[in-house]
């Protein structure tokens, strides 16, 4: 039986496929775009950074969830309907061929925890049946070349927990599946918009001392999540998280399927006084008690430029630019990836977050195209597990 990934998992969102411009002009390929027009519909040089990142994560003792991301492929732009793999059968066949090719490369590598078929389907009108068709085909594609490794799929749109239901479960008999969802909730707290007028949720404590309208706690989902009315005041604390997670956990228990929180964060814009670290510790404690795995979203953007920890960011390590002054005035350490300029990295960690991670003996990290730090510059994290058996990756085929 497949189990939820254990501690120390890196989710590497590094298979961008029909992600930005499609079709792009000759000689104008976006920097991170792996679609190719001919079989197996994968741009081979993408393996340069994929291999580097997978190997770096593995060397640090991390299992890898390898995720595909495609804004256009996931139906995020109505101007490119031919790229939408949920609706376009021909493009979907290319997508499955790509996954067979990528999974075949890593099939002999023991550090892959799961293949995440397509992150965050963005087609808001796609039916459950359409989403299942995509995910069932994608899981079959990777299983054809790497049967022991699970696939990972989630609810649509955008992996929202509130849309996860029995209809989200695959119906083709495949049991080697991990089900996933995002938890950026409440959005205006966890993601902390810079605009103060958009910060509808301002304080958290474990006991739920602060009350907020249901419509603000479940922004955009009040018709589904607020049966007693959108204006009803609800306490925002540990029990709020517990109710949210226990509902999906109960569904998973009925069907004996594992769960994984795909991405979650509380950005640096939320201070300790406003409840940032209490929220983090509470959610992890509840997830662990329910045996739900998770990966932290290491988002680097948002907020005010030039600050060590940007307002809307959730990174736990600060990375200086090459030659730039680091937060405490010390120099960063140099490292580089294939084809990349050398980058100075200063190992400044968000210590309270790491302490919270360590308090529940778990650590996961998620990245959006950012390379995991090589072991020489990785920060001292919570205790490392025994690394998975290591099988060398094949050489890059150009």
């Amino acid at each position: 039986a497949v189990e939820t990934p254990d501690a120390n998992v890196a989710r590497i969102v590094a298979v961008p496929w029909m992600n930005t411009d499609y079709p792009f002009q000759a000689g104008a390929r976006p920097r991170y775009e792996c679609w190719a027009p001919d079989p197996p519909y994968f741009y081979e040089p993408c393996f340069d950074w994929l291999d580097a990142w997978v190997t770096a994560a593995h060397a640090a003792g991390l299992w890898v969830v390898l995720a595909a991301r495609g804004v256009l492929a996931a139906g995020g732009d109505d101007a490119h309907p031919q790229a939408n793999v949920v609706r376009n059968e021909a493009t979907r066949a290319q997508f499955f061929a790509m996954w067979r090719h990528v999974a075949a490369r890593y099939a002999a590598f023991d550090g892959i925890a799961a293949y995440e078929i397509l992150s965050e389907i963005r087609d808001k009108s796609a039916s459950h049946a359409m989403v299942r068709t995509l995910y069932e085909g994608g899981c079959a594609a990777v299983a054809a070349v790497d049967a022991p490794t699970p696939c990972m799929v989630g609810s649509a749109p955008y992996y929202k927990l509130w849309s996860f239901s029995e209809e989200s479960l695959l119906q083709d008999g495949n049991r080697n599946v991990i089900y996933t969802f995002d938890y950026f909730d409440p959005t205006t707290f966890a993601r902390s918009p810079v605009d103060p007028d958009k910060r509808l949720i301002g304080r958290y404590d474990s006991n739920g001392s602060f009350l907020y309208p249901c419509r603000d706690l479940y922004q955009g989902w009040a018709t589904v999540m607020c049966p007693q009315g959108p204006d009803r005041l609800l306490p925002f604390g540990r029990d709020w998280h517990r109710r949210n997670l226990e509902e999906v956990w109960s569904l998973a228990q009925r069907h004996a399927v594992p769960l994984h929180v795909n991405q979650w964060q509380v950005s640096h814009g939320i201070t300790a006084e406003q409840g940032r670290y209490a929220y983090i510790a509470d959610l992890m404690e509840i997830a662990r008690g329910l045996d739900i795995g998770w990966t932290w979203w290491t988002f680097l953007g948002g907020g005010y430029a030039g600050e060590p920890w940007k307002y809307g960011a959730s990174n736990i390590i600060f990375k200086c630019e090459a030659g730039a002054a680091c937060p405490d005035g010390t120099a960063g350490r140099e490292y580089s990836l294939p084809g990349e300029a050398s980058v100075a990295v200063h190992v400044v960690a968000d210590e309270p977050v790491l302490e919270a991670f360590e308090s529940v003996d778990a650590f996961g990290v998620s990245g959006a195209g950012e390379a995991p730090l090589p072991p020489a510059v990785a920060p001292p994290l919570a205790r490392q597990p025994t690394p998975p058996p290591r099988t060398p990756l094949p050489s890059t085929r150009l």
Side-chain angles (χ1 to χ4, degrees):
V2 64
E3 297 180 356
T4 301
D6 205 340
N8 291 59
V9 175
R11 175 178 173 266
I12 303 178
V13 191
V15 187
W17 198 87
M18 290 195 179
N19 190 42
T20 49
D21 301 322
Y22 169 82
F24 42 79
Q25 301 299 315
R29 172 179 291 275
R31 182 182 183 191
Y32 291 118
E33 172 59 67
C34 295
W35 175 80
D38 300 311
Y41 307 105
F42 182 81
Y43 184 57
E44 294 295 308
C46 287
F47 280 131
D48 287 348
W49 75 68
L50 272 174
D51 287 356
W53 295 346
V54 168
T55 302
H58 187 273
L62 302 173
W63 288 84
V64 169
V65 173
L66 195 58
R69 180 184 190 272
V71 172
L72 306 183
D77 187 347
D78 292 339
H80 299 280
Q82 74 276 29
N84 186 338
V85 298
V86 179
R87 297 179 182 272
N88 189 296
E89 185 175 356
T91 308
R92 187 162 62 245
Q94 292 184 16
F95 186 63
F96 295 161
M98 176 278 293
W99 260 125
R100 282 191 295 271
H101 183 62
V102 172
R105 183 177 185 84
Y106 297 105
F109 186 73
D110 296 323
I112 304 297
Y115 299 107
E116 185 180 335
I117 302 303
L118 182 58
S119 174
E120 296 184 331
I121 290 176
R122 297 161 185 249
D123 188 331
K124 294 183 179 180
S125 62
S127 68
H128 286 289
M130 295 167 68
V131 174
R132 286 197 305 269
T133 295
L134 170 68
Y135 282 148
E136 287 171 355
C139 289
V142 298
V145 293
D146 188 4
T149 301
C151 65
M152 181 176 284
V153 303
S155 54
Y158 288 94
Y159 281 170
K160 291 298 293 186
L161 174 58
W162 325 129
S163 66
F164 194 94
S165 70
E166 299 208 8
E167 291 187 279
S168 303
L169 304 180
L170 305 192
Q171 299 180 3
D172 61 351
N174 186 350
R175 302 292 298 171
N176 199 22
V177 181
I178 298 170
Y179 290 90
T180 194
F181 56 89
D182 290 347
Y183 198 82
F184 297 120
D185 300 294
T187 302
T188 61
F189 183 86
R191 306 195 82 159
S192 187
V194 174
D195 183 351
D197 292 335
K198 295 181 180 179
R199 294 179 218 150
L200 304 179
I201 309 295
R203 297 286 298 276
Y204 173 94
D205 75 2
S206 298
N207 297 324
S209 303
F210 304 103
L211 305 180
Y212 297 97
C214 185
R215 67 172 181 273
D216 293 341
L217 289 169
Y218 297 101
Q219 191 174 23
W221 291 84
T223 56
V224 175
M225 302 304 297
C226 302
Q228 295 178 305
D231 297 324
R232 180 179 174 85
L233 296 178
L234 299 177
F236 180 39
R238 184 189 296 112
D239 288 344
W240 186 79
H241 292 311
R242 190 180 305 279
R243 285 193 300 272
N244 292 335
L245 293 187
E246 282 184 346
E247 184 169 347
V248 68
W249 175 83
S250 296
L251 186 156
Q253 290 294 294
R254 291 196 301 273
H255 294 273
V257 297
L259 295 172
H260 185 80
V261 181
N262 193 267
Q263 307 171 71
W264 69 289
Q265 70 169 59
V266 185
S267 73
H268 292 290
I270 300 296
T271 65
E273 292 73 23
Q274 293 169 326
R276 182 174 193 243
Y277 301 113
Y279 176 114
I280 290 169
D282 286 347
L283 185 61
M284 286 191 298
E285 179 184 358
I286 295 166
R288 185 184 183 188
L290 298 175
D291 195 28
I292 299 176
W294 52 267
T295 41
W296 177 265
W297 178 238
T298 54
F299 180 60
L300 301 180
Y304 308 116
E307 295 185 357
W309 307 110
K310 290 184 180 180
Y311 192 94
S314 58
N315 53 313
I316 55 175
I317 299 168
F318 179 72
K319 183 177 74 173
C320 295
E321 297 296 330
C326 292
D328 62 0
T330 61
R333 189 177 305 183
E334 299 289 326
Y335 84 99
S336 61
L337 290 173
E340 302 287 340
S342 181
V343 177
V345 172
H346 181 63
V347 182
V348 176
D350 189 346
E351 295 294 345
V353 170
L354 295 181
E355 289 172 7
F357 290 164
E358 189 171 20
S359 72
V360 294
D361 190 28
F363 180 75
V365 64
S366 174
E370 285 290 327
L373 297 182
V377 296
L381 303 176
R383 74 178 176 86
Q384 299 284 347
T386 302
R390 185 167 189 177
T391 301
L393 290 171
S395 59
T396 302
R397 292 167 292 177
L398 300 178

